[in-house]
Amino acid sequence: MAPMPKTMFGVVIPRPGGPDVLEYKTGLPVPSLGEGQILVRNEYVGVNYIDTYFRTGLYKPPSPSSNSNHPSTQRLKRHPLSLPLITGKEAAGTITASSHPSYPVGSRVVYLADNTYAQYTLLTFPLTQATILPASLTPETACAAYLQGLTALTFIREAAGITQQLGISEGPWTLVHAAAGGTGSMLVQILAVMGAKIIATAGGKQKCELAKKLGAGWVVDSSLPQEEVIRQVKEITNNKGVDVIFDGVGKATFGTVDLDVVARKGTIIVFGNASGAVEPVDLFRLMPKNIKIMRPSMPGYITTPEEKETFTSELFDLLVTGKIHANIHQIYPLKNVAQAHIDLESRKTTGKLLLKVE
């Protein structure tokens, strides 16, 4: 086996700001392997909205001693501790060094962890968020589907409580905002497999057509005035309203569209801040229809090895059998990460953005 290099390349955030603060650097130290750890040579890295939250300072970066894989609940006032930061939350690659018996060198893995915008990432025991890939899944597909796929699957199963697999259009009324995006496209596909009645919102004709192709029974152009979006959703449901809303947009949709179109005893699941964070809610607004609101975090649903195994196995089965697929918008070289952030924040992308580590 060739000796491990002492340095690597990666992307560093020296201070909060726009995409221009992302600095591609060489000569970064390769992490040293400790007890119960594995070192992964990354091949593909996922680009997610949470990466932009850490870049801008909306979320506080993890402390150097933190083992948190997804500290998305740590909101900030401006830090500036723990900077410079190598961000990134998911990747797939090959184990190049290991002190953990369940993760041998040479295995290909997909994982959720901090510091993935780099050539190498060190994962620390317990490795509940690293999974050895079956031969039937490529690192590219796994990386494109893992975070958003697990997010969609756990939110549908656990947050929404949708477990039935009845057949097309026999399940509850659901509304998926930003349905052509990474998580939205996974939500639509998995909800379709489970037989939900799916209304999808997406911005523009092209994204609406994609949402329909992914399995949405009805699509509404979110670029229309919100009054028209509300009218169309109510018309589609015969004024019943929507049983479960999956909202990754946040501020622009929660207080207006969601609270208006949710059904009596319905559930609103807010999981993203693409338009800004949702402002504090007057709980009295929930009373007339007995509305339930959730702000879940996917890692909280796969905390134990058993939970991770259950949801990962189901996700991989859906991918391998072709029931769902990873919709990849574009693959960028790692050094072009700033352009990937620009494209993601423009909301003109459809599906998953990946970085190729070469």
Side-chain angles (χ1 to χ4, degrees), residues 28-274:
L28 298 171
V30 173
S32 299
L33 188 72
E35 185 65 28
Q37 295 180 324
I38 62 174
L39 186 68
V40 179
R41 203 294 186 186
N42 295 321
E43 296 178 41
Y44 292 92
V45 175
V47 181
N48 301 287
Y49 256 104
I50 193 172
D51 303 343
T52 71
Y53 303 157
F54 281 100
R55 190 204 72 223
T56 62
L58 178 65
Y59 286 173
K60 182 178 179 180
S63 66
S65 61
S66 173
N67 270 340
S68 174
N69 280 329
H70 224 289
S72 57
T73 58
Q74 298 179 356
R75 301 291 296 282
L76 102 0
K77 301 178 176 174
R78 296 261 167 187
H79 12 94
L81 301 175
S82 303
L83 293 175
L85 169 74
I86 296 176
T87 191
K89 297 296 169 188
E90 67 174 331
T94 302
I95 298 174
T96 57
S98 174
S99 62
H100 194 289
S102 299
Y103 294 85
V105 170
S107 300
R108 284 186 159 182
V109 293
V110 61
Y111 66 89
L112 306 176
D114 296 315
N115 314 126
T116 61
Y117 281 18
Q119 188 177 10
Y120 292 92
T121 300
L122 187 68
L123 304 183
T124 301
F125 182 84
L127 303 171
T128 57
Q129 309 220 33
T131 302
I132 294 178
L133 292 178
S136 52
L137 274 184
T138 67
E140 177 182 329
T141 298
C143 188
Y146 198 57
L147 189 149
Q148 271 91 3
L150 284 178
T151 298
L153 188 57
T154 57
F155 287 5
I156 291 168
R157 293 289 200 202
E158 296 276 1
I162 299 174
T163 58
Q164 71 269 37
Q165 299 187 31
L166 302 175
I168 302 302
S169 299
E170 295 180 11
W173 280 106
T174 61
L175 174 64
V176 179
H177 289 303
T183 303
S185 62
M186 281 292 177
L187 282 165
V188 170
Q189 291 183 83
I190 297 173
L191 285 167
V193 171
M194 295 184 185
K197 296 186 285 287
I198 308 161
I199 305 170
T201 69
K205 181 180 178 181
Q206 180 182 1
K207 289 187 176 184
C208 286
E209 289 176 349
L210 175 60
K212 189 79 170 178
K213 182 178 179 181
L214 291 171
W218 300 263
V219 293
V220 179
D221 190 338
S222 58
S223 62
L224 295 171
Q226 287 194 331
E227 295 80 3
E228 178 61 17
V229 173
I230 291 169
R231 187 196 68 78
Q232 290 191 28
V233 172
K234 288 183 175 180
E235 182 179 276
I236 291 167
T237 63
N238 291 320
N239 288 317
K240 174 185 181 297
V242 178
D243 299 305
V244 183
I245 297 174
F246 298 91
D247 188 346
V249 176
K251 183 177 181 179
T253 50
F254 174 79
T256 51
V257 177
D258 294 354
L259 290 176
D260 198 327
V261 303
V262 68
R264 184 179 67 88
K265 299 192 293 184
T267 300
I268 302 173
I269 299 169
V270 181
F271 62 91
N273 313 307

